[in-house]
Amino acid sequence: MVKILLVEDDETICFGVCSALRKKGYEVVECSCVAEGKELLSVEEFHLILLDLNLPDGNGYDFCGWIKQNQDIPVIFLTVRDDVGDITRGLDMGADDYITKPFHIAVLESRIQAVLRRVGFHRREDHDELICGEIRLDKQRMQVYAGDENIILTGLEYRLLLMLMENKGCILSRNRILEKIWDIEGNFVNDNTLTVAIKRLREKIGQAAGITTVRRIGYRMEERK
């Protein structure tokens, strides 16, 4: 299990991030200041740190520098400071990513997974299972669930959903999808077939997750707000 240290003094943000990430299967330990963060890092091992810049007993830049000097742990800054100079300074300090507030939890999770992949850490479920809202796709068994309900898909629908979920939060152009998706006999899927497949896939998964149409471009899979 991925163990994350969240250093954030805003109680509302802390509660929201911790609750959301724990539901996704992460272990999250929270603290509100630099001193407490250093103490936790001295006695526990973490895979990643989410770090606010503005803390009551110091700033995130200095804390990030201290972390990088003492341990090889990826750091993602979470901050309201969106100035280019602040972002550049954070990355120059060794931060692995920089996310400005407010942010959607799906974006945060995607960034966390991207950073963990870059440093060579993979959760087992990243390979075997994909999750978007209440939709769960089991890659080993090639089965799809909406909550506890097993959703029966055709081969084309399954491959389409797999592609969308593997790129959750990203826009996939129709051309890119058409280049990758083939029917059961190995024939190329045309534009009309893709439109019908998307329609039927939406009907089958219902409100459990969202497949958004990006006009004149393609589609994006995302959790419903």
Side-chain angles (χ1 to χ4, degrees):
M1 179 181 291
V2 176
K3 188 173 182 180
I4 296 174
L5 175 62
L6 172 63
V7 187
E8 170 64 68
D9 64 333
D10 186 308
E11 293 183 0
T12 301
I13 293 176
C14 190
F15 176 79
V17 170
C18 287
S19 299
L21 291 181
R22 285 167 183 159
K23 288 180 180 178
K24 295 294 184 180
Y26 296 93
E27 180 181 353
V28 186
V29 177
E30 71 269 22
C31 66
S32 61
C33 63
V34 171
E36 191 177 354
K38 288 182 176 180
E39 183 178 349
L40 285 167
L41 286 167
S42 68
V43 296
E44 298 185 46
E45 292 186 1
F46 295 91
H47 299 109
L48 182 139
I49 299 172
L50 301 176
L51 178 59
D52 188 13
L53 273 182
N54 302 313
L55 296 166
D57 60 343
N59 68 70
Y61 292 129
D62 293 339
F63 190 23
C64 179
W66 180 88
I67 292 167
K68 293 298 183 177
Q69 286 179 352
N70 290 276
Q71 299 187 46
D72 186 19
I73 305 175
V75 175
I76 298 178
F77 278 125
L78 304 178
T79 176
V80 295
R81 293 159 67 171
D82 59 357
D83 183 78
V84 172
D86 289 325
I87 297 173
T88 302
R89 183 182 176 189
L91 296 176
D92 288 344
M93 291 291 295
D96 296 83
D97 207 341
Y98 191 110
I99 303 176
T100 56
K101 303 173 183 175
F103 52 84
H104 194 283
I105 197 65
V107 173
L108 174 59
E109 186 191 7
S110 178
R111 298 286 189 89
I112 288 173
Q113 292 179 4
V115 168
L116 291 174
R117 283 195 296 269
R118 285 202 299 270
V119 300
F121 184 92
H122 297 277
R123 296 190 298 167
R124 183 176 182 274
E125 58 266 36
D126 286 342
H127 296 289
D128 300 339
E129 188 173 88
L130 299 171
I131 297 174
C132 183
E134 295 182 13
I135 294 294
R136 180 166 55 88
L137 188 150
D138 187 325
K139 295 170 69 174
Q140 284 193 334
R141 297 180 177 86
M142 296 182 68
Q143 293 181 336
V144 176
Y145 301 88
D148 296 326
E149 180 186 357
N150 184 212
I151 305 298
I152 306 301
L153 302 178
T154 65
L156 175 58
E157 291 164 354
Y158 174 84
R159 292 193 297 279
L160 179 55
L161 180 63
L162 175 63
M163 187 176 183
L164 288 166
M165 292 187 70
E166 285 181 333
N167 295 275
K168 182 175 70 173
C170 300
I171 298 172
L172 295 178
S173 70
R174 292 181 66 91
N175 285 339
R176 181 181 174 188
I177 294 172
L178 290 169
E179 287 172 358
K180 298 291 184 181
I181 300 296
W182 299 74
D183 70 14
I184 198 67
E185 286 81 28
N187 298 316
F188 185 72
V189 176
N190 64 33
D191 197 69
N192 290 335
T193 303
L194 175 59
T195 299
V196 173
I198 287 285
K199 179 177 181 295
R200 290 178 176 171
L201 187 56
R202 281 174 168 151
E203 291 172 350
K204 289 184 178 182
I205 67 175
Q207 299 298 312
I211 300 175
T212 301
T213 299
V214 182
R215 190 180 180 190
R216 297 181 180 176
I217 300 177
Y219 304 98
R220 178 177 58 229
M221 186 85 176
E222 56 191 1
E223 298 188 16
R224 292 192 178 278
K225 299 179 182 180

